[in-house]
Amino acid sequence: MTIRFGVSPIAWINDDMPELGGDTPLETVLGDAQAIGFKGIELGGKFPREAPALQALLDRFRLALVGGWYGSALLDRTAEAEIAAMQPHLRLLQAMGTDVFVIAETSNAIHSDRSQPLSRTPRLDDATWQQFGRRLTEVADYLVGEGMRCAYHHHLGTVVERQEDLDRFLAVTGPNVGLTVDTGHARLGGIDPIEVIHHHPARVTHVHCKDIRPEVFGALARRDGSFLDGVIEGMFTVPGDGAIDYGDVMRALAAIGYSGWIIIEAEQDPKIADPRHYGEVGLRTLERMAARAGLERIAA
């Protein structure tokens, strides 16, 4: 049971909404992550896409690359076409020595469109669920053959958002389709992340820890706002600053013998929520909770 703590660059630079931190130099992000004490970072939009350049940059800050978001379009194209499309992303991850492949269906997602309220999140009919499950399973099986672990990211504004979506998703996909358990997206989507961890331990491949401000999300829902409206208004924050009990989360991970990365991720407006300060709060909170739960942290 060994874990490492990493961070997403989205607290500094939001790729879905570039006006949030888009002018922040990448070196600032990496320097802050190193100073806070993170050991790894996920891929972001400003990162070099050539492995030698990316490796040299991360080596300067003693950070490992921990996968990175890949948006699939399996509702629109075959598994074979998706596998062909993902090759540049896959080869970069492999060259960087990470085995985590975070994927989410984005062909009809609305999370990056501020004009679309969350009430318009797309839903799938039975036939489409079956087709989507077959295609994603084929992609995941391929990734396993490439030495990667498929970590599907359930996400507000996408086809896997609510508990009923997740239940159907798990029923139509094979065992190589793992999950990125995202505590914040789970709770706001009506999913209990503790139950997911306990009931589907073999699927828990990667973990994103973000906290929530339920009162902000409640106000957003009442006025039928968009996902990005919620981000700007502060529906997310870091562990230790919101409503989720991370002692429960760490104990659940310990109970299933989780080994891998735990990523702190909380998209906020960096002009309001200083990423370095909030990163400190999040990491120190999880360090305490993980130690109490008996999760062993890799020092290097």
Side-chain angles (χ1 to χ4, degrees), residues 79-103:
E80 293 81 1
E82 192 67 71
I83 288 168
M86 67 171 52
Q87 289 304 307
H89 186 78
L90 171 61
R91 299 310 170 196
L92 177 60
L93 297 184
Q94 289 174 321
M96 296 300 296
T98 180
D99 68 347
V100 178
F101 196 99
V102 178
I103 185 171

Side-chain angles (χ1 to χ4, degrees), residues 95-148:
M96 296 300 296
T98 180
D99 68 347
V100 178
F101 196 99
V102 178
I103 185 171
E105 181 63 22
T106 57
S107 62
N108 63 351
I110 62 166
H111 66 284
S112 60
D113 184 351
R114 197 174 178 186
S115 71
Q116 295 293 318
L118 275 173
S119 61
R120 295 183 186 172
T121 294
R123 311 297 179 199
L124 303 184
D125 60 27
D126 289 344
T128 309
W129 268 119
Q130 292 293 335
Q131 181 185 69
F132 177 55
R134 286 193 301 271
R135 289 175 175 179
L136 182 59
T137 298
E138 187 174 339
V139 168
D141 292 346
Y142 166 80
L143 288 171
V144 168
E146 291 289 318
M148 305 295 290

Side-chain angles (χ1 to χ4, degrees), residues 245-256:
D245 185 336
Y246 276 92
D248 288 345
V249 175
M250 295 300 110
R251 285 188 290 272
L253 292 173
I256 68 167

Side-chain angles (χ1 to χ4, degrees), residues 14-75:
N14 192 315
D15 291 338
D16 289 329
M17 198 173 192
E19 54 265 45
L20 298 183
D23 56 349
T24 302
L26 180 55
E27 288 76 7
T28 298
V29 179
L30 301 177
D32 283 354
Q34 180 189 28
I36 293 166
F38 290 109
K39 300 303 178 184
I41 191 165
E42 291 191 332
L43 195 64
K46 279 195 174 184
F47 286 54
R49 287 306 196 271
E50 299 77 31
L54 180 55
Q55 189 67 64
L57 180 61
L58 294 183
D59 284 348
R60 281 174 49 200
F61 297 94
R62 298 195 294 278
L63 292 168
L65 186 72
V66 193
W69 174 281
Y70 176 81
S72 62
L74 287 164
L75 298 176

Side-chain angles (χ1 to χ4, degrees), residues 110-218:
I110 62 166
H111 66 284
S112 60
D113 184 351
R114 197 174 178 186
S115 71
Q116 295 293 318
L118 275 173
S119 61
R120 295 183 186 172
T121 294
R123 311 297 179 199
L124 303 184
D125 60 27
D126 289 344
T128 309
W129 268 119
Q130 292 293 335
Q131 181 185 69
F132 177 55
R134 286 193 301 271
R135 289 175 175 179
L136 182 59
T137 298
E138 187 174 339
V139 168
D141 292 346
Y142 166 80
L143 288 171
V144 168
E146 291 289 318
M148 305 295 290
R149 296 179 298 141
C150 177
Y152 190 90
H153 195 316
H154 57 96
H155 197 289
L156 296 179
T158 74
V159 294
V160 188
E161 177 186 72
R162 306 164 300 168
Q163 183 66 58
E164 60 194 272
D165 303 327
L166 183 61
D167 290 342
R168 193 63 192 273
F169 174 85
L170 291 169
V172 300
T173 55
N176 284 331
V177 180
L179 288 174
T180 295
V181 177
D182 186 299
T183 55
H185 281 283
R187 284 286 300 273
L188 295 186
I191 297 167
D192 184 343
I194 307 300
E195 293 299 308
V196 174
I197 293 167
H198 282 311
H199 291 158
H200 305 283
R203 296 283 194 131
V204 180
T205 300
H206 194 47
V207 178
H208 281 181
C209 287
K210 64 162 67 75
D211 218 325
I212 61 169
R213 297 186 178 105
E215 68 283 0
V216 176
F217 185 70

